[in-house]
Amino acid sequence: MTRYICTNCGYIYDPELGDDTQGIPPGTPFEDLPEDWTCPICYVGKELFDPV
């Protein structure tokens, strides 16, 4: 699965890990994140993430 980096702060969303701060379970692809999901570090939206 492709990882995605926040272009604002550098946080990397790794689908294999998910995002426990927002209840996203491991194995969740970036494309399947809710539309209102935000970066857990700087709170920007998915539109500011790029594939790594």
Side-chain angles (χ1 to χ4, degrees):
M1 284 191 258
T2 303
R3 299 182 318 160
Y4 284 77
I5 188 166
C6 176
T7 59
N8 189 55
C9 75
Y11 167 80
I12 294 179
Y13 175 76
D14 186 340
E16 292 184 14
L17 301 176
D19 176 11
D20 61 354
T21 67
Q22 296 182 60
I24 305 298
T28 303
F30 186 80
E31 297 78 15
D32 292 346
L33 292 173
E35 287 304 314
D36 62 349
W37 181 85
T38 59
C39 175
I41 304 296
C42 69
Y43 309 108
V44 299
K46 289 172 55 176
E47 67 278 359
L48 291 181
F49 280 72
D50 288 333
V52 177

